[in-house]
Amino acid sequence: MVTYASSFRPSATHTLVELPYVPSAVPQARRVLRQQLAATNLPDKIIGTAELLVSELVTNAVKYGKPPIWLLIELRPGLVHASVSDTSVALPHRQCLDLGSEGGRGLLILDALAGSWGAVAVDSGKYLWFDLPVTP
């Protein structure tokens, strides 16, 4: 339970969806995110960045995780937070970048674009998350 010292409570919205354990989960996750961001009046560049980051998290879960996959999106004033969980306990690790390869850049993209991000192992698996600071 969260208790606030004052009557001010920042507005926040939360969306939690189970995604299928198939590659089509990636565009589905982007649609869910876009629906949540539709009323925020954020610039297209920020929405595109958030979509790319969500795509990277879900792609990682589909390629390396175990079902079920859950996407949590939290919108707070000044922040987009997203996390993706699955039941594999194997945390992601940086791969040697092969310029000819299609993959292996997800963590670099998170480093470059997210305000912060992380991967956390829990008893039921793991979750990867990012925070994207935004200004309306």
Side-chain angles (χ1 to χ4, degrees):
M1 179 176 172
V2 176
T3 308
Y4 294 90
S6 72
S7 62
F8 173 75
R9 295 177 187 212
S11 61
T13 61
H14 302 82
T15 301
L16 179 65
V17 295
E18 183 173 2
L19 298 171
Y21 189 65
V22 293
S24 64
V26 177
Q28 180 180 344
R30 287 193 301 261
R31 280 192 301 277
V32 169
L33 178 67
R34 277 194 306 272
Q35 289 170 350
Q36 291 306 113
L37 294 177
T40 63
N41 296 322
L42 291 173
D44 288 343
K45 180 178 179 181
I46 295 293
I47 293 171
T49 298
E51 285 184 37
L52 176 60
L53 294 172
V54 162
S55 295
E56 291 301 325
L57 295 185
V58 175
T59 297
N60 187 305
V62 169
K63 287 179 77 172
Y64 306 111
K66 293 181 183 174
I69 297 173
W70 290 92
L71 168 65
L72 170 68
I73 299 168
E74 181 179 352
L75 304 179
R76 289 185 256 157
L79 185 72
V80 175
H81 171 85
S83 67
V84 173
S85 64
D86 67 74
T87 59
S88 169
V89 294
L91 293 176
H93 61 279
R94 296 186 192 283
Q95 301 175 4
C96 292
L97 185 59
D98 177 0
L99 296 177
S101 173
E102 288 185 21
R105 293 172 181 78
L107 300 182
L108 295 173
I109 291 171
L110 286 165
D111 282 340
L113 299 177
S116 58
W117 71 273
V120 180
V122 293
D123 289 341
S124 59
K126 70 171 173 305
Y127 64 93
L128 277 69
W129 61 270
F130 73 81
D131 285 338
L132 181 62
V134 298
T135 51

